[in-house]
Amino acid sequence: MSINSIFTIKDVLLNQESLQKKNKYSCPICFEFIYKKSVYQCKSGHIACKECWEKSLKNKKECMVCRLEVNSTNDLSRCLVIEQDFGKKECYCIYSYKNYDSIDCANKKISLIKDKENGCKEIINIDQLDSHIENCKFKFVKCSHNGCDIVLRLNSLKEESSSECPKFPIDCPQSCSIIIERDQIESHLKNDCNNSTLSCKYYEYGCKVDMKRSELQNHLNNVNHQYFMGILIEKLSSTLNQSHNIQDELVKKIEKLSSTLNQSHIIQDHLVKKIEQSEKNQERINKELDQSKIISDRLQKKNDDLSSLITEMNGTLLKKKKFPSSFENLNSLIYKNKWIISEYSKIVEKFPNGSDLKSPSFQINSNNLLKSPSLFNVKSNEFSINFYPNGFNHPSNNLKFFLMCKIVETNVEFIGKLVNVLDKTKSIKLKTQGKIINLN
């Protein structure tokens, strides 16, 4: 049980450990000493403080120890003998310790320290503790002077207040007959005391006289300070001229800063326009990029389809070592009247000089236009292209190709174009007219 916000009965109790071991003076439920507690017992003599009995009986109507039926505290008897016996135990006064009134004990744990020199030394009974605390001469009290926050022991209040209290009235140390609060002495001596020593107000300009404050006005009235005033005026005039010069320089700097500020505004406006134009250009570029991406995606899809087709055709050609039987089939898979040779670099390595590739056969109609035949066993007017990737004969390694025919003395016009699919600028276009070599 607490005595106040700082002390509990454990802090001041003599022989605390001995009393705790006996368990006679502490509640067996909350384990607190029965200081300022009402102690009750059941018919079997089992004791507890009133608060613990009430809490226990809310849950079960029985004694916590012997389980005897107890409906309320009215079924219990007050144990005054134990209460009175505990009241006769001895304790210290709380003012035997140093002052801790300024400590927030709810948030900070402290270690109580005995004040052996200035603290209360009485040992009293517990039942007299409250009365003693109220009247103890060693208790802590606030200084009686208005505005002073010093806390002193009651028995030393007058003595220590007169020597420590900042609001205690004292005589002026320079004997000017004025009584003033201790914390105002410095200000009094500096600004008001007539016995304080001052220098003439023209001391800096040549009047090197020191006097009491009470004599200053008489000195100013009776001594001619015109010469010293002239020095002061001259100095003030010089200071004024310097201030004018500084003012002029400041005006120039302000004007320069104003001009710079205007230029910065112009530059800022220009930059804002640039940024706006840049944002517009960025929007336009983004749109073009979006469109380019769409076109790129479409081209990529077509390229993937074409690559897939080339791979499929190349695999068929390499495995069977022959070409499709007609341009009609080729035409339906790729595009009209074009002969595609995939993986050309590998073919160049594979075919030696004089080795050729032969295209599928085709016919020439009366309009000299290429068209695919429906049957390839027709002997008349059948043409093909012989392609020599590493040259026709030694020592030439130049690429060559020929238009071949099975009919003698056939005059045709032949237009061919070698297309480099990786770089179309390197493609070759040629045109010739004449007789076609007989394949037979």
Side-chain angles (χ1 to χ4, degrees), residues 111-135:
S111 297
L112 298 174
I113 301 174
K114 282 280 188 177
D115 190 350
K116 296 180 180 180
E117 183 177 352
N118 301 311
C120 178
K121 297 175 177 57
E122 286 193 46
I123 295 176
I124 51 181
N125 292 339
I126 292 175
D127 56 8
Q128 298 173 348
L129 181 59
D130 288 346
S131 174
H132 174 82
I133 289 173
E134 184 68 27
N135 299 296

Side-chain angles (χ1 to χ4, degrees), residues 59-171:
N59 298 323
K60 287 186 178 183
K61 303 297 184 181
E62 62 184 20
C63 173
M64 296 84 73
V65 181
C66 65
R67 306 303 180 189
L68 182 69
E69 182 179 356
V70 179
N71 293 316
S72 69
T73 53
N74 293 330
D75 296 336
L76 305 171
S77 59
R78 182 83 174 267
C79 193
L80 295 175
V81 174
I82 294 179
E83 293 180 17
Q84 292 171 358
D85 192 22
F86 183 68
K88 300 301 180 182
K89 302 302 176 184
E90 294 180 329
C91 65
Y92 299 108
C93 172
I94 63 173
Y95 296 117
S96 62
Y97 295 95
K98 292 185 177 181
N99 181 30
Y100 290 100
D101 286 349
S102 61
I103 295 177
D104 183 5
C105 295
N107 299 318
K108 183 176 181 180
K109 293 183 179 180
I110 60 172
S111 297
L112 298 174
I113 301 174
K114 282 280 188 177
D115 190 350
K116 296 180 180 180
E117 183 177 352
N118 301 311
C120 178
K121 297 175 177 57
E122 286 193 46
I123 295 176
I124 51 181
N125 292 339
I126 292 175
D127 56 8
Q128 298 173 348
L129 181 59
D130 288 346
S131 174
H132 174 82
I133 289 173
E134 184 68 27
N135 299 296
C136 183
K137 296 179 181 180
F138 293 89
K139 67 180 178 181
F140 294 101
V141 293
K142 194 174 180 180
C143 179
S144 59
H145 294 101
N146 188 31
C148 179
D149 296 325
I150 289 180
V151 176
L152 303 167
R153 291 190 184 272
L154 181 62
N155 64 329
S156 61
L157 181 61
K158 292 182 180 180
E159 179 183 349
E160 294 190 27
S161 177
S162 61
S163 61
E164 295 182 17
C165 176
K167 299 299 180 182
F168 189 82
I170 60 174
D171 294 329

Side-chain angles (χ1 to χ4, degrees), residues 44 52 82 89 116 130 143 286 383-384 402-403 426 436:
S44 299
C52 289
I82 294 179
K89 302 302 176 184
K116 296 180 180 180
D130 288 346
C143 179
N286 289 339
F383 294 83
S384 65
F402 301 89
L403 180 63
K426 296 181 180 180
I436 306 303

Side-chain angles (χ1 to χ4, degrees), residues 362 364 383-386 401-405 412-414 432 435-437 439:
F362 55 92
I364 300 176
F383 294 83
S384 65
I385 296 173
N386 284 20
F401 66 96
F402 301 89
L403 180 63
M404 312 298 288
C405 175
V412 296
E413 183 182 68
F414 175 70
T432 186
K435 291 183 180 181
I436 306 303
I437 300 172
L439 293 173

Side-chain angles (χ1 to χ4, degrees), residues 232-257:
L232 173 60
I233 292 172
E234 184 177 346
K235 184 175 182 179
L236 290 174
S237 178
S238 174
T239 303
L240 183 62
N241 290 332
Q242 290 178 1
S243 67
H244 285 159
N245 293 335
I246 293 172
Q247 183 178 0
D248 292 340
E249 290 179 3
L250 289 174
V251 168
K252 291 179 181 179
K253 287 183 178 181
I254 291 171
E255 291 175 350
K256 186 176 180 180
L257 288 173

